[in-house]
């Protein structure tokens, strides 16, 4: 089956305290899983290459992927649990606090053999995230997927998401790992801390030139987003919405952004035009804004219908 999106990477499951005692809002985590789900909720065929533990966490993730019709390319559940857990709490000032716990057998991750050439050939966009580069052999699997994507002339999407716990507080190691794969990247997304890590906005044109990146998207939260495309910067404003929590809004943005590209018929870098990028950014930004009105559950990622309704009610042009 031809897939619009093939997503690969580290699996993280967030448990965010709910409104009732001892209850939790669960979010199938890891940007690759959330992006695949966001794309599926925007009417794209999506597949997710993952390997998880044969435990409650792993089953929850697989069930969530199935619920939204995201094909799990690696379906086997490992007896040695590999799912990374993130227990999330909200501090008094509203900031999210992570506590990560890699379970025994966490080295039983994706291998290069899990990435099948036919799956890459049968996909339009290949997506990965930087946390998947933090440990072997998953790093090798991720690089293989991105490299094959480039060889088969697919769009390769990459999301820099620096979680210091994944890198043992070594930002330099994260930057090095990212730079090692940028030569395979067509569409790059980053924000905040990641911008600073990569040398600031002034260095983005240099990265594009040095690594032949076609588009860099910088998400600006409530201020919107901007794209570095060729020799110009494309900006879209934020949308005023009551923010409850920002959990998942970046993944909602990127899933909707990639979805809009495909809905516009973009299959190759040569199909990208400034107006299409601007439209896709607006679409993604609206998706992220809708997402922050809910508290982190995967249901917070909106469907295409919800996005279109938001556009209509607010008389927006996308």
């Amino acid at each position: 089956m031809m897939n619009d999106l093939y997503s690969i990477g580290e699996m993280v499951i967030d448990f965010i305290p709910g409104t009732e005692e001892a209850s939790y809002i669960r979010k199938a985590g890891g940007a690759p899983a959330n992006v695949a789900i966001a794309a599926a909720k925007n009417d794209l065929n999506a597949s997710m290459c993952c390997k998880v533990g044969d435990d409650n966490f792993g089953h929850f993730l697989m069930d969530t992927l199935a619920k939204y019709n995201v094909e799990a390319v690696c379906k086997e559940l490992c007896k040695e649990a590999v799912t990374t857990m993130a227990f999330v709490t909200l501090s008094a000032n509203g900031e999210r606090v992570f506590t990560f716990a890699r379970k025994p057998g966490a080295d039983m991750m994706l291998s290069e053999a899990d990435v099948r050439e036919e799956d890459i050939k049968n996909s339009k966009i290949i997506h990965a995230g930087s946390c998947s580069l933090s440990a072997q052999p998953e790093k090798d699997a991720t690089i293989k997927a991105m490299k094959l994507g480039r060889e088969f002339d697919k769009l390769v999407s990459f999301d820099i998401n620096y979680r210091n716990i994944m890198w043992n507080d070594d930002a330099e190691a994260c930057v090095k790992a990212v730079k090692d794969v940028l030569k395979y990247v067509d569409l790059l997304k980053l924000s905040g801390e990641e911008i600073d890590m990569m040398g600031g906005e002034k260095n983005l044109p240099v990265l594009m030139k040095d690594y032949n990146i076609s588009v860099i998207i910088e998400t600006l939260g409530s201020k919107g987003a901007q794209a570095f495309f060729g020799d110009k910067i494309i900006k879209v404003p934020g949308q005023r919405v009551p923010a409850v929590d920002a959990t998942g809004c970046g993944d909602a943005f990127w899933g909707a952004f990639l979805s809009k590209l495909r809905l516009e018929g973009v299959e190759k870098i040569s199909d990208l035009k400034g107006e299409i990028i601007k439209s896709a950014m607006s679409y993604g930004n609206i998706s992220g804004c809708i997402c922050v009105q809910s508290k982190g559950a995967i249901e917070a990622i909106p469907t295409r219908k919800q996005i279109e309704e938001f556009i209509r009610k607010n008389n927006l042009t996308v």
Side-chain angles (χ1 to χ4, degrees), residues 65-311:
L65 293 175
K67 178 180 178 180
Y68 296 106
N69 298 314
V70 176
E71 179 188 4
V73 177
C74 295
K75 294 183 178 180
E76 70 272 19
L77 296 171
C78 304
K79 292 300 180 182
E80 297 87 353
V82 302
T83 311
T84 300
M85 297 178 293
F87 296 94
V88 184
T89 57
L90 298 179
S91 65
N93 60 3
E95 293 183 353
R96 300 169 72 235
V97 180
F98 290 88
T99 302
F100 279 76
R102 283 186 182 271
K103 301 174 73 176
D107 56 336
M108 294 285 293
M109 291 182 171
L110 283 172
S111 68
E112 291 183 75
D114 295 315
V115 179
R116 300 179 302 184
E117 190 170 297
E118 59 265 33
D119 291 325
I120 305 296
K121 283 184 177 179
N122 292 328
S123 300
K124 297 292 185 182
I125 299 174
I126 312 303
H127 174 73
S130 59
C131 286
S132 301
L133 305 178
S134 65
Q136 247 75 29
E138 190 166 74
K139 177 178 179 179
D140 297 324
T142 302
I143 291 175
K144 179 181 177 180
M146 297 172 68
K147 185 177 180 180
L148 284 173
R150 174 56 64 89
E151 290 177 359
F152 295 138
D153 200 24
K154 311 294 183 179
L155 283 175
V156 179
S157 159
F158 191 75
D159 185 351
I160 301 180
N161 185 355
Y162 177 66
R163 283 177 167 169
N164 58 347
I165 191 71
M166 305 290 283
W167 295 93
N168 296 318
D169 291 314
D170 191 346
E172 290 185 5
C174 178
V175 172
K176 182 183 183 305
V178 169
K179 286 187 174 180
D180 285 345
V181 304
L182 284 183
K183 59 187 174 184
Y184 306 124
V185 175
D186 299 310
L187 307 171
L188 177 66
K189 172 182 168 287
L190 31 61
S191 61
E193 186 175 12
E194 293 83 29
I195 289 281
D196 296 335
M197 286 170 54
M198 301 306 291
E201 284 188 11
K202 67 180 186 302
N203 195 47
L204 297 186
V206 177
L207 286 177
M208 295 180 72
K209 181 179 180 180
D210 289 350
Y211 296 96
N212 198 29
I213 301 170
S214 297
V215 184
I216 293 181
I217 307 294
E218 178 184 3
T219 54
L220 303 169
S222 62
K223 296 181 180 178
Q226 60 184 0
F228 296 82
F229 176 61
D231 59 354
K232 60 183 175 181
I233 298 177
I234 303 169
K235 296 185 178 183
V236 298
Q239 302 297 328
R240 292 186 178 277
V241 295
V244 176
D245 181 34
T247 307
C249 68
D251 301 336
F253 177 106
W254 201 233
F257 172 86
L258 295 175
S259 301
K260 188 63 173 176
L261 292 185
R262 287 293 301 120
L263 293 171
E264 293 284 349
V266 173
E267 295 186 2
K268 300 179 180 180
I269 283 298
S270 57
D271 295 330
L272 283 174
K273 303 290 186 288
E275 286 305 308
I276 291 178
I277 294 171
K278 184 175 182 179
S279 175
M281 284 205 325
S282 296
Y283 203 78
N285 188 53
I286 291 167
S287 180
C289 289
I290 296 174
C291 187
V292 301
Q293 295 180 83
S294 299
K295 215 175 212 182
I298 200 68
E299 284 73 17
I301 294 178
T303 63
R304 183 182 176 189
K305 183 177 180 181
Q306 289 173 305
I307 295 172
E308 299 293 349
E309 180 66 11
F310 187 94
I311 292 170

